[in-house]
Amino acid sequence: QAVATLQALGVRVIGCESEADAAVVAEMRNTPGAVGVLGKDSDFFVFPGARYVPHDCLTVEDGKVYGRVFTRASVAASLGISEERLPDLAALLGNDITTEAVQRLDVPGKLSIATFPTKTRGRRATPEAVAAFLQTLPVGTPLQDHPALAALGSEDAQSFAAALAASHAFYADAADGTDSAAEDEGDELDRALGQAARDCL
């Protein structure tokens, strides 16, 4: 019923077999005059070409709606890292794909990234702490080549490397409009960068 109502109102409806993030970003990029993606998913901070307007950054004044638009470049600049490092940041914070491996293997701890305890999610790193770590990596050095990750043990190192590769592919999909399957784990990236969006006003 909802789809039929939207179509009757002239709203274009696109179906996706899994995560719709990449398709939404591709649609935004290909729609003349589109301001951005309105949503509540911090993955949009990371997708190339996305302009993201978090719900929490909308205000209404005098009958007009105002929102803050985030771009990949503005997020990277605010954290002092290159745009190319944003998928690494998302992976280390724990996104839809990497959260289980990051928590199980204590990846931030292995990389000496400062963490803090949470009530329900064990220890967690902040975006600023992960960005500070990423700033120490030489330009062009893949995260998976860090010696501390190689020391995880072959099975664990392969598990994290596979999650990291899948995470990078997930964010790259927006360039071609495909949607790779992402697991819907507890998304630490949403919690971490979502707080930054809530603080935007």
Side-chain angles (χ1 to χ4, degrees):
Q1 176 63 29
V3 170
T5 301
L6 289 170
Q7 288 173 329
L9 293 170
V11 175
R12 185 166 173 219
V13 177
I14 300 170
C16 296
E17 291 183 16
S18 61
E19 289 275 338
D21 299 8
V24 169
V25 171
E27 184 66 18
M28 182 221 61
R29 290 171 59 196
N30 294 325
T31 302
V35 172
V37 174
L38 176 63
K40 194 171 176 78
D41 185 340
S42 59
D43 286 321
F44 292 119
F45 285 121
V46 182
F47 278 107
R51 292 181 307 277
Y52 175 46
V53 182
H55 287 148
D56 296 338
C57 291
L58 290 178
T59 59
V60 178
E61 295 176 20
D62 299 324
K64 295 181 181 176
V65 178
Y66 297 90
R68 180 157 180 205
V69 179
F70 290 87
T71 64
R72 180 177 164 120
S74 67
V75 171
S78 74
L79 292 168
I81 59 175
S82 69
E83 290 181 50
E84 292 72 29
R85 286 289 186 201
L86 282 175
D88 290 334
L89 177 104
L92 290 172
L93 286 171
N95 59 19
D96 292 342
I97 298 166
T98 63
T99 294
E100 186 277 326
V102 166
Q103 290 178 347
R104 179 174 52 84
L105 301 173
D106 183 28
V107 173
K110 301 283 190 299
L111 296 172
S112 300
I113 297 172
T115 59
F116 63 93
T118 65
K119 290 181 181 177
T120 60
R121 301 226 176 247
R123 298 195 66 81
R124 187 178 112 181
T126 65
E128 294 79 11
V130 173
F133 163 76
L134 292 172
Q135 291 167 1
T136 68
L137 296 180
V139 174
T141 301
L143 176 59
Q144 64 268 23
D145 290 348
H146 192 282
L149 294 179
L152 285 173
S154 63
E155 188 174 314
D156 287 341
Q158 289 174 356
S159 170
F160 183 70
L164 186 60
S167 178
H168 274 264
F170 174 67
Y171 294 115
D173 281 346
D176 63 13
T178 62
D179 63 343
S180 60
E183 299 171 20
D184 191 14
E185 300 287 341
D187 190 346
E188 293 300 320
L189 178 63
D190 270 342
R191 283 180 267 290
L193 290 179
Q195 180 61 49
R198 285 188 291 281
D199 294 341
C200 69
L201 296 175

